[in-house]
Amino acid sequence: MPNASTLDISAIPAAQRAAVLALMDEVTALKDIARRQEHLIAELNHALHGKRSEKLSEDERQLAFEDLSIAQAEVEAEKEQRAAKKSDAATKPAPRRTIGNLPAALPRIEKVIEPDSLICPCGCGVMHKIGEDRTERLDIVPAQLRVIVTVRPKYACRSCTDGVTQAPAPARLIMGGLPTEATLAHVLVSKYADHLPLYRQSQILARAGLDLHRAVLADWVGKAAFHLKPVVDRLAQHLKRSGKLFMDETTAPVLDPGRGRTKTGYLWALARDDRPWGGDAPPGVVYFYAPGRAGENAETFLTGFNGILQIDGYTGYNRLTKSSRKGGAPVLVAHCWAHARRKLKEVFDRDGSDIAAEGLRRIAEIYAVEADIRGTAPGQRLSARKARSAPLVAAFGDWLQAQRRKISSKSRLGEKLNYIHNHWEGLQTFLTDGRVEIDNNRVENLIRPITLNRKNALFAGHDEGGIAWGRIASLIETCKINGIEPFAYLTATLTAIANGHPQSCIDDLLPWNFVPSN
């Protein structure tokens, strides 16, 4: 099949042009999938058969296989979806099972799905039952394992041979797989909210008599992550429409099988939280994974955002304020007073510096104003800041410059004062807009669950695992800050996707639009 560079599109008849272009796009997409799959297979083989000097410990190998298997499952899900679009129900291959029979000791709950009508279409009368199809799927409710048995009776007419009827099988997110959507939600919440790696979940299930290998769980997580991607992408789009966002980044150690050790990846948190000033937009957070901390990653993640960005003092964000910024207009930066205070606190805790103590006292006065106006409307906040905070900030600025003239810039305290000086413009942004917070603490609080997961899981097993980590964590943490129970939300959302939820109504699947069933 020629590509766009070798094929003269204009030479193709207009009636066939659209079909040819669609086919070329499909070929390109399949090539990309194949390349990604080949890369992942090579990574798996290297983790398993690498040089003796690069051999991994059992925990390291399990985590590597876990995340690579998740990524591989995502690729398979994309291939299956593309194949499903090109074939009708009559030509679809038989669904494949990922495990043998479920333990007989597990309780069974039968759900009988009857046809809408038992009247023979030929008018012969009521049909009678001639058989049934039975399928079993593993279902998990918290602290309980059970098996959902779906029974679909078959009915036929006694007077003719054409009147067989049966209710259609219920939709599944993973065709031919054992897990219900609630089971998938349980595995996701256990891994990304309760910080249980899949091989540990497998060990827990084994104690209940259920033999589910880590690779099976990884397959489930990868497919779920694939189907949830459009929801997370839409969540990011909603956040980037805001006039003000928070951003922060934290390390995400990632296994590098080629070197037999970990490398440092990063999860970047982009968050909205307008509750301190009574904003109508619901809070949310999206985590983007990148293999490094370069500022160009932040620039890429913020494509389409134009507004005020509340950040710490990391210099990588500087490119966002320049006219050469890609993906939008230069952003207005609001720097974090908590970081400024932290710099002085480090010096005070170390040597009890009187100058650092005075700086902390002055910052405390500014924070006292913020405590008084928290929760009020932006206009009220701005008025109070102009009247009360602006003089305090101006006095702090004069004090800062006076101390910098007296103290060596190479001393520990001098370095801290220079940090505050270098971010002075951004530290004053909160005086010009009542929506802006005095610090970046909102997004720092949203980074903590990532840190806890990192501590328990040690590291991600692969860069692709970092991407899935960020995607699922985005939905779970957005649920939590909106007071939504993540397991209930993910169960309902995965079920809706399995039942063909329309792309045009994807906003209905965002966490803040979830309505728990009674």
Side-chain angles (χ1 to χ4, degrees):
M1 169 66 66
N3 57 39
S5 62
T6 61
L7 181 65
D8 185 2
I9 300 297
S10 61
I12 302 174
Q16 302 174 5
R17 197 171 299 158
V20 171
L21 289 172
L23 184 58
M24 291 171 62
D25 289 342
E26 179 72 13
V27 170
T28 300
L30 290 174
K31 286 181 177 179
D32 289 341
I33 291 173
R35 279 194 292 268
R36 183 182 176 197
Q37 200 165 23
E38 289 172 0
H39 171 72
L40 292 171
I41 291 172
E43 293 271 3
L44 276 168
N45 285 332
H46 191 90
L48 183 62
H49 304 296
K51 297 178 182 177
R52 185 173 299 276
S53 61
E54 300 172 356
K55 289 293 186 181
L56 307 173
S57 70
E58 182 61 24
D59 275 358
E60 291 172 335
R61 184 163 52 250
Q62 290 285 1
L63 285 165
F65 289 164
E66 183 171 305
D67 282 338
L68 285 166
S69 298
I70 288 172
Q72 179 73 5
E74 278 200 62
V75 176
E76 290 294 336
E78 184 175 359
K79 289 173 63 178
E80 290 170 5
Q81 186 180 70
R82 288 183 174 277
K85 289 180 179 178
K86 295 169 60 177
S87 61
D88 54 38
T91 59
K92 285 181 182 177
R96 59 186 179 89
R97 293 172 64 88
T98 56
I99 193 175
N101 294 327
L102 291 162
L106 291 180
R108 259 68 175 173
I109 298 175
E110 292 196 357
K111 293 184 177 180
V112 180
I113 305 175
E114 296 281 5
D116 292 335
S117 174
L118 298 181
I119 303 300
C120 180
C122 67
C124 304
V126 178
M127 299 180 182
H128 70 282
K129 185 175 179 179
I130 59 171
E132 63 186 23
D133 287 337
R134 301 175 70 92
T135 58
E136 294 189 347
R137 292 200 295 165
L138 175 67
D139 189 38
I140 295 179
V141 295
Q144 180 184 11
L145 300 182
R146 63 185 186 182
V147 176
I148 300 296
V149 181
T150 300
V151 181
R152 297 188 296 127
K154 292 182 179 180
Y155 294 88
C157 177
R158 292 183 183 274
S159 303
C160 67
T161 59
D162 299 327
V164 177
T165 188
Q166 185 182 35
R172 302 183 182 193
L173 192 76
I174 301 179
M175 292 303 297
L178 292 181
T180 62
E181 286 64 48
T183 299
L184 294 173
H186 175 81
V187 174
L188 294 177
V189 170
S190 296
K191 178 173 173 63
Y192 296 106
D194 299 332
H195 320 298
L196 279 174
L198 298 183
Y199 74 92
R200 292 180 186 164
Q201 292 189 50
S202 177
Q203 293 168 353
I204 292 170
L205 291 171
R207 292 199 296 269
L210 184 62
D211 183 15
L212 278 176
H213 191 268
R214 171 209 50 78
V216 175
L217 298 179
D219 183 76
W220 295 355
V221 172
K223 286 181 168 57
F226 168 78
H227 289 290
L228 289 169
K229 182 179 184 299
V231 182
V232 179
D233 290 345
R234 185 59 174 165
L235 174 59
Q237 290 174 6
H238 266 271
L239 296 186
K240 288 191 282 189
R241 290 178 186 169
S242 305
K244 181 186 70 68
L245 293 174
F246 299 90
M247 195 169 202
D248 198 7
E249 76 288 336
T250 188
T251 56
V254 175
L255 189 64
D256 187 358
R259 297 188 299 167
R261 52 193 175 98
T262 60
K263 60 182 179 180
T264 302
Y266 285 85
L267 280 171
W268 303 67
L270 183 65
R272 176 178 65 201
D273 193 347
D274 297 340
R275 292 174 293 181
W277 52 270
D280 294 331
V285 60
V286 173
Y287 301 94
F288 301 93
Y289 174 78
R293 201 188 182 194
E296 61 185 336
N297 292 315
E299 190 173 39
T300 299
F301 300 146
L302 285 167
T303 296
F305 169 70
N306 296 290
I308 300 172
L309 189 67
Q310 297 211 243
I311 55 176
D312 59 21
Y314 172 49
T315 57
Y317 293 115
N318 291 347
R319 64 192 296 140
L320 301 172
T321 64
K322 299 178 180 178
S323 58
S324 59
R325 178 203 167 192
K326 299 177 182 178
V331 301
L332 177 62
V333 165
H335 280 124
C336 175
W337 276 91
H339 279 76
R341 181 174 57 184
R342 200 173 298 157
K343 298 294 182 181
L344 296 176
K345 187 71 164 54
E346 290 172 0
V347 175
F348 178 77
D349 288 345
R350 180 178 178 178
D351 55 25
S353 165
D354 291 338
I355 294 176
E358 174 64 13
L360 291 172
R361 184 192 66 77
R362 290 174 177 270
I363 293 176
E365 291 180 338
I366 302 171
Y367 266 89
V369 178
E370 291 300 305
D372 290 342
I373 63 177
R374 185 173 296 116
T376 59
Q380 293 175 280
R381 281 158 57 106
L382 185 58
S383 296
R385 286 170 175 173
K386 286 183 176 179
R388 300 171 58 190
S389 301
L392 296 174
V393 172
F396 183 93
D398 293 340
W399 172 85
L400 174 67
Q401 298 309 322
Q403 303 311 313
R404 291 182 66 240
R405 286 192 292 269
K406 295 188 298 184
I407 298 172
S408 169
S409 61
K410 296 182 179 180
S411 68
R412 183 175 177 83
L413 177 57
E415 290 176 353
K416 306 303 183 183
L417 295 176
N418 283 338
Y419 171 91
I420 300 173
H421 167 75
N422 292 336
H423 297 92
W424 187 242
E425 183 177 354
L427 287 171
Q428 297 180 81
T429 303
F430 83 108
L431 298 174
T432 64
D433 192 320
R435 300 171 303 165
V436 177
E437 293 302 301
I438 191 173
D439 56 36
N440 212 32
N441 287 349
R442 293 280 168 174
V443 71
E444 287 199 351
N445 290 337
L446 293 170
I447 286 289
R448 286 173 185 163
I450 299 297
T451 305
L452 185 58
N453 201 49
R454 180 179 66 207
K455 185 182 297 185
N456 282 272
L458 304 181
F459 46 78
H462 192 269
D463 284 327
E464 298 272 1
I467 295 172
W469 182 359
R471 188 179 300 163
I472 306 303
S474 299
L475 296 177
I476 288 175
E477 295 306 318
T478 298
C479 279
K480 288 161 65 174
I481 58 178
N482 281 278
I484 300 297
E485 203 287 303
F487 171 76
Y489 163 77
L490 286 172
T491 299
T493 300
L494 293 171
T495 300
I497 294 172
N499 283 284
H501 188 87
Q503 180 72 20
S504 60
C505 298
I506 196 168
D507 281 7
D508 296 342
L509 300 183
L510 295 175
W512 52 71
N513 290 327
F514 172 67
V515 179
S517 58
N518 295 327

